[in-house]
Amino acid sequence: MRRPAPASLGARKRVFMSQMEPVIGLEIHAQLKTKSKLFCDCPTEPGAEPNTNICEICTGQPGALPRMNAKALELAAKAGLALGSTVNSQSLFSRKNYFYPDLPNGFQTSQIDPPICSGGSMTVGSPEALKTIRLNRIHLEDDAGKCVHDAKRGRTLIDLNRAGVPLIEIVTEPDLGSSAEAVEFLKKLHALLVRLEVTEGRLEEGEFRCDVNVSLKPKGAKELGVRGEIKNLNSFKFIGQAIDCEIKRQSALYASGQGVRQETLHFDSANHDIRTLRTKEEAHDYRYFPQPDLPEVLVSDDTLAQLKASLPVPIEEVISRLNSLGLRDDQAKLLVDRRDGVEYFNAAVAEGGEPKRVAALMAELFLPAVAKSDLNPLKAPLTPKGLADLAVLLDSGRLGRRAAYEMFVELFESGSDPEKLAQNKGVLQISDSGLLSKLASEVVAEHSREVEKYLGGQEKVMSFLVGQVMRRSRGAADPKGAAKALTEAIESGRKQ
Ligand code: ADP
Ligand code: MG
Ligand code: ZN
């Protein structure tokens, strides 16, 4: 008798994975939108020459004393309020001790217990199947500097401009179940924090980055598996890829009987590869202790009430208001997703633009132009009033869709009055009904054979007649208006 061939590793992995489920928890670092650093007056704006935005405090000179930036505290509390966290009236800064060349103090100033905010949550999924992702905490901390590897000369340089820049770290519970869910969560969180003006959120500047913890467990099991932690990812795409890579890596380890050990990992996005940074045996013992140079962090009831009052309307409410104006979900979402998109829309509607028309113009023409020129909508040369006027011109039939689209770039860049521009270009249509009826009567009188065909049921002839009106108007007639005028002229001809 033949023995069955042993299952391949691939097959074993598939069987194994069908019985396991991924568990994911995120630690998100968002740079707070402040002018100066967390404990000194140095500017936070990126792009300066290395080591120019530094002082004795953020470079850890002996005896220099940190001073808390009140704005950073306010922004952290604001994020917590919007995420349903409890903002603690008293919290503490601690020193998280470790050595790294870009950490001049020899410790990071962070919060362990209590943090500025505890708990909270955010949902993912569709309205029919919402899933709540719990937050563990939000805490304040300062950023480290940056090592710059100069491969040419074989040396490493240190830039301390980032050292001391204020961050919040948002830590989720391990409630996420797939890379798609994690990415959805992060995009939603990013949009919320940007909307709250808690962060600028420029991913390429490292202003929103994430550590991803991934483990596998048997489906339905309570106990969590051993996790791998992938550090410092700052692109939604790479985060998704890194999670999938790590799930594959772990399932291969389990399937081959080796098991997973707790590790800190690095995702190599060029090669889709996961590398070990450190294993648990070498894990840091941070020896957290209270930072004696800083007082307790206090948030008064008054401050909290003021912050609550300053929170913007929740996104769901904004969307349902836009829906009630007749906007489709995708249009509403587009406006909400763009910074100041809804503000621009509201202003254009207040200037007399019909909401659906304004939304369509924004989606098809305005927002792409804004994105291309990297502008804030409210700073675009084409003002909400200009867009509203364009909407009115289109709705009145005086400007054709094609002409509007063709002149849009110029309109956008010059910010000129749409009616004047259309007039100068000679694309304004005649929708003056007196003139249109005159032209229509002329055409009807001259083309009695076609009119008869039309009356005999050949409806296609109408486009020929409209074409004749267009010709007489040298292309300036509004085709819909022309068709209407023609029907009227034919009708009244029959009655005579
Ligand atoms: P640290 O990474 O600093 O040791 P924690 O142990 O609190 O901190 O965990 C940090 C993150 O790891 C949290 O987002 C948490 O949800 C997540 N996490 C913890 N255990 C697991 C696990 N077994 N699988 C996946 N994620 C986990
Ligand atoms: Mg961690
Ligand atoms: Zn400084």
Side-chain angles (χ1 to χ4, degrees):
M1 227 170 68
R2 279 244 215 103
R3 262 198 299 158
S8 69
L9 182 60
R12 265 188 287 159
K13 220 160 81 183
R14 277 194 298 278
V15 171
F16 176 79
M17 269 319 286
S18 67
Q19 298 152 4
M20 302 291 277
E21 60 186 354
V23 173
I24 300 158
L26 304 172
E27 296 160 89
I28 300 110
H29 291 92
Q31 178 176 329
L32 297 171
K33 192 173 168 178
T34 60
K35 289 208 171 67
S36 52
K37 293 185 179 179
L38 188 52
F39 300 119
C40 62
D41 295 333
C42 296
T44 53
E45 194 52 32
E49 282 292 300
N51 297 311
T52 51
N53 293 342
I54 55 174
C55 70
E56 65 282 6
I57 296 172
C58 56
T59 55
Q61 305 303 307
L65 284 176
R67 294 182 307 270
M68 174 72 196
N69 179 336
K71 178 78 183 174
L73 173 63
E74 196 179 283
L75 293 177
K78 200 167 161 189
L81 284 174
L83 288 162
S85 313
T86 305
V87 180
N88 297 313
S89 56
Q90 291 183 10
S91 60
L92 279 180
F93 277 111
S94 291
R95 293 182 174 188
K96 180 178 178 182
N97 299 282
Y98 65 96
F99 173 79
Y100 205 75
D102 64 14
L103 190 76
N105 274 310
F107 58 84
Q108 181 184 26
T109 305
S110 183
Q111 296 191 294
I112 181 120
D113 209 22
I116 171 99
C117 306
S118 309
S121 68
M122 199 174 70
T123 56
V124 290
S126 60
E128 306 81 53
L130 278 185
K131 178 168 169 187
T132 299
I133 309 302
R134 295 164 302 154
L135 304 182
N136 175 288
R137 56 198 271 126
I138 302 175
H139 65 249
L140 275 161
E141 60 187 29
D142 61 359
D143 207 348
K146 199 166 70 177
C147 291
V148 186
H149 304 292
D150 175 359
K152 242 206 230 140
R153 300 201 183 119
R155 59 185 185 175
T156 295
L157 305 166
I158 290 169
D159 176 8
L160 292 179
N161 281 351
R162 285 196 71 91
V165 160
L167 308 174
I168 44 173
E169 177 171 342
I170 301 174
V171 183
T172 77
E173 295 294 347
D175 286 349
L176 294 149
S178 68
S179 57
E181 213 166 77
V183 171
E184 184 193 340
F185 176 88
L186 285 167
K187 284 187 175 165
K188 193 170 172 187
L189 180 66
H190 178 262
L192 174 69
L193 296 180
V194 168
R195 184 158 175 267
L196 289 170
E197 300 197 68
V198 163
T199 182
E200 286 273 356
R202 292 169 293 200
L203 281 89
E204 67 289 354
E205 298 286 354
E207 293 175 352
F208 187 87
R209 51 192 206 258
C210 179
D211 300 342
V212 189
N213 298 270
V214 181
S215 65
L216 295 176
K217 68 176 174 66
K219 272 188 183 148
K222 279 240 166 62
E223 203 179 319
L224 299 184
V226 177
R227 73 183 146 121
E229 178 173 1
I230 312 160
K231 284 285 190 193
N232 236 344
L233 295 158
N234 70 342
S235 121
F236 295 126
K237 191 169 124 207
F238 292 158
I239 290 169
Q241 290 174 351
I243 293 173
D244 287 335
C245 254
E246 178 59 5
I247 291 174
K248 267 200 205 139
R249 188 187 72 92
Q250 291 187 15
S251 56
L253 284 172
Y254 281 120
S256 70
Q258 288 177 59
V260 170
R261 45 179 195 167
Q262 189 168 335
E263 278 180 307
T264 305
L265 305 158
H266 170 77
F267 177 61
D268 174 356
S269 56
N271 301 308
H272 278 211
D273 192 24
I274 300 249
R275 272 201 325 265
T276 300
L277 282 180
R278 16 176 218 275
T279 55
K280 199 184 177 195
E281 293 82 64
E282 317 157 23
H284 289 115
D285 172 6
Y286 291 120
R287 296 178 297 112
Y288 276 98
F289 61 80
Q291 157 65 301
D293 294 341
L294 284 161
E296 277 183 316
V297 181
L298 301 175
V299 184
S300 70
D301 289 348
D302 275 356
T303 309
L304 212 55
Q306 274 172 24
L307 285 174
K308 261 188 200 149
S310 78
L311 286 183
V313 180
I315 226 111
E316 290 78 6
E317 276 175 42
V318 177
I319 289 185
S320 79
R321 191 182 64 83
L322 293 173
N323 286 153
S324 73
L325 291 173
L327 271 58
R328 294 191 312 262
D329 265 342
D330 59 320
Q331 292 174 320
K333 244 194 110 292
L334 190 70
L335 296 184
V336 163
D337 283 349
R338 295 299 182 86
R339 185 176 298 182
D340 292 331
V342 177
E343 283 71 10
Y344 190 96
F345 169 85
N346 288 341
V349 171
E351 293 286 355
E354 193 278 324
K356 280 185 282 189
R357 174 70 82 176
V358 169
L361 284 173
M362 284 184 74
E364 288 164 36
L365 297 171
F366 180 74
L367 289 174
V370 159
K372 205 165 154 201
S373 48
D374 199 19
L375 280 171
N376 178 304
L378 296 169
K379 301 255 164 67
L382 180 63
T383 60
K385 165 126 185 20
L387 192 90
D389 290 347
L390 181 66
V392 170
L393 273 181
L394 277 159
D395 281 332
S396 70
R398 294 183 57 221
L399 183 65
R401 189 182 142 88
R402 186 141 148 231
Y405 278 55
E406 275 171 11
M407 67 179 220
F408 190 79
V409 172
E410 191 176 339
L411 187 64
F412 179 81
E413 284 169 2
S414 65
S416 42
D417 174 50
E419 178 158 357
K420 282 210 188 100
L421 186 64
Q423 211 159 29
N424 290 343
K425 293 192 164 298
V427 292
L428 265 195
Q429 293 177 343
I430 302 171
S431 61
D432 167 355
S433 56
L435 186 55
L436 281 180
S437 350
K438 180 171 160 279
L439 295 176
S441 309
E442 286 172 18
V443 168
V444 167
E446 246 174 57
H447 295 276
S448 48
R449 284 208 4 234
E450 282 75 14
V451 170
E452 257 165 48
K453 281 189 197 164
Y454 174 74
L455 289 171
Q458 292 190 37
E459 296 199 357
K460 270 192 294 185
V461 178
M462 182 50 92
S463 26
F464 167 79
L465 296 172
V466 169
Q468 294 307 307
V469 175
M470 299 298 283
R471 225 175 72 176
R472 274 163 195 268
S473 72
R474 293 202 194 83
D478 152 32
K480 267 195 216 146
K484 189 163 163 260
L486 280 164
T487 345
E488 280 164 10
I490 293 169
E491 230 5 74
S492 76
R494 277 214 305 181
K495 278 186 200 138
Q496 275 166 16

